[in-house]
Amino acid sequence: MGLRNRLEAKDGTGRQTAGANVAHWRARLLEEINLDDLAALDLTQRRARLEKVVGHILTREGPVLSTRERAVLIRRIVDEALGLGVLEPLLADPTVTEIMVNGPDDIYIERAGNLTRLDVGFASEGQLHQTIDRIVAQVNRRVDESSPMVDARLPTGERVNVIVPPLSLVGPVMTIRRFPRAYQMHELVSRGSLDGPTAELLSAFVRARLNMVVTGGTGSGKTTFLNALSGFVPSTERIVTIEDSAELQLQQEHVVRLESRPPNIEGEGAVTIRDLVRNSLRMRPDRIIVGEVRGAETLDMLQAMNTGHDGSLVTVHANSAEDAVYRLETLASMSEVKIPYEAVRDQIANAVDVIIFLERAADGSRRVKEIEVITSGRREDIRLTGIMRFEQEPVGGDRVVRGTFAHSPLPRELADRLLLGGEPIPPMFGVRAGNGSAP
Ligand SMILES: Nc1ncnc2c1ncn2[C@@H]1O[C@H](COP(=O)(O)OP(=O)(O)O)[C@@H](O)[C@H]1O
Ligand SMILES: [Mg+2]
């Protein structure tokens, strides 16, 4: 059986054989090139150089191949030589938003919100291990039995999580998350994630310095939405952003970006989101934007919102706007400052003005599902008033999610705040009738 047949085989054995051959040619390649020369080149030049050399080697020593097979083989050899094996072309493809490696033979990617299983894999578990080592070594981290979980960000912005046996039962598992694309709000409107009037209202909210919480499940688009919302912050303001792994891409000039730091291998030197929130208060911020609250920093954030740092934006993981309130309560009570439940609730009621809940629908599309305003007074249970919701239609044969955005009038107090700030209110959010002081 020639290499031709082996390359075409797509089952596990075919992959193994082709993989072994790739390893052979890769070894030949490494014999022929001068690694010092290579070091001076950037990635594109390096790839071009390697492809040329592999081409020569194959012409001299390789089997007879069609032009296409030859190109595929060259690409695989170079991918492996460059270090990331089958991941290399995936990382080079901007439409791939997430790469999930569940052991050497099981790779999934996410594109346009949809998961697909690939029919390529690593030649062996050892090779996957090597690839993972190379990736985490770039950021001076290490993964082995004594530190079997690593969370890191690559120099190119991707976020990488690795978990290896014995914690993972399927071999080394690596999840690579692309640096999300920065959408502007009008782009999210044209993608149908929200409608124009709602975007207009949200821009008025940001300018009027309401404190807003963006919430939703993992991958629902919270960071993306937070980024788009931040686009409405006037460029005259000083913005401090605080994140676990810097993903936000603000357009304004005057932005100070802070990123937390995990502990080093000895377990020391960690700087938490909470440390950064506290520090940011001494930096004369006009706005504090926190990528995501996950712990005790929530209380510091709420206190900051209540003490003159209006207009703050934050995301929290939750399954509805109401759930976001419970999450904030739970997270705020994780602080070592023991404050009674009622006090936490009052902090939230006073601090948070608006909750925006995002949803990733079954077809992979992301949308604003509901916007709720906190309307409770002091010493009351938290009361939410909906001002916008997406009403989904029954899904048809094409499985595309459709529906309409339904608007409700703004609560009087909120409308007054906007009007006092000189902000227009889009007509469909016109103030509730019979609510006291209608003109
Ligand atoms: N409204 C949207 N339309 C299309 N793609 C989106 C939208 N919001 C987010 N995405 C994409 O979905 C992925 C997850 O988004 P992200 O903002 O990181 O989610 P989260 O912060 O909730 O985990 C990213 O690849 C991002 O580009
Ligand atoms: Mg996020």
Side-chain angles (χ1 to χ4, degrees), residues 67-325:
T67 317
R68 196 185 151 269
E69 288 163 346
R70 188 180 148 90
V72 168
L73 182 59
I74 291 182
R75 169 132 217 200
R76 288 203 55 190
I77 297 165
V78 173
D79 284 345
E80 289 203 4
L82 281 174
L84 304 182
V86 292
L87 300 184
E88 200 86 42
L90 302 175
L91 284 167
D93 178 349
T95 66
V96 174
T97 49
E98 195 126 11
I99 304 169
M100 290 142 276
V101 181
N102 313 326
D105 283 323
D106 199 25
I107 303 180
Y108 287 84
I109 57 167
E110 188 191 69
R111 247 198 201 110
N114 296 308
L115 287 185
T116 333
R117 185 169 192 260
L118 297 187
D119 58 5
V120 295
F122 289 86
S124 64
E125 187 163 322
Q127 202 207 19
L128 171 56
H129 250 299
Q130 262 180 26
T131 308
I132 289 176
D133 287 344
R134 283 198 190 119
I135 290 178
V136 301
Q138 290 182 64
V139 285
N140 295 322
R141 307 288 295 282
R142 171 181 90 188
V143 57
D144 53 30
E145 261 192 43
S146 66
S147 89
M149 291 186 283
V150 165
D151 206 23
R153 187 166 55 90
L154 299 185
T156 38
E158 289 87 2
R159 192 149 124 188
V160 179
N161 179 273
V162 177
I163 180 160
V164 297
L167 301 184
S168 153
L169 304 181
V170 297
V173 172
M174 173 163 60
T175 314
I176 302 182
R177 177 116 187 252
R178 252 277 142 49
F179 204 47
R181 174 170 166 340
Y183 289 100
Q184 309 219 337
M185 195 59 85
H186 69 86
E187 293 176 285
L188 296 181
V189 170
S190 49
R191 300 180 69 91
S193 300
L194 72 167
D195 63 336
T198 305
E200 213 181 300
L201 181 73
L202 293 177
S203 79
F205 282 176
V206 173
R207 284 189 305 265
R209 311 191 68 87
L210 302 191
N211 290 321
M212 291 197 255
V213 173
V214 177
T215 191
T218 305
S220 57
K222 298 183 294 297
T223 304
T224 305
F225 203 83
L226 182 65
N227 204 69
L229 266 185
S230 72
F232 297 130
V233 175
S235 55
T236 47
E237 299 188 13
R238 172 170 166 86
I239 308 173
V240 178
T241 68
I242 298 173
E243 297 173 87
D244 258 335
S245 59
E247 289 180 306
L248 292 171
Q249 301 162 67
L250 268 60
Q251 302 305 307
Q252 289 84 347
E253 244 175 47
H254 195 162
V255 180
V256 180
R257 306 174 72 201
L258 304 178
E259 190 182 51
S260 65
R261 187 174 72 185
N264 63 13
I265 293 171
E266 285 74 41
E268 288 156 3
V271 177
T272 63
I273 294 275
R274 174 166 215 203
D275 300 327
L276 297 178
V277 168
R278 291 178 163 186
N279 194 77
S280 73
L281 299 178
R282 298 191 280 271
M283 295 171 69
R284 197 217 160 268
D286 286 312
R287 306 260 181 173
I288 303 172
I289 300 183
V290 178
E292 186 169 346
V293 289
R294 292 193 194 136
E297 70 272 11
T298 306
L299 185 63
D300 301 86
M301 187 67 212
L302 292 171
Q303 283 170 346
M305 288 173 166
N306 277 330
T307 51
H309 297 94
D310 280 344
S312 297
L313 306 172
V314 61
T315 82
V316 68
H317 184 285
N319 300 320
S320 67
E322 199 183 6
D323 186 38
V325 174

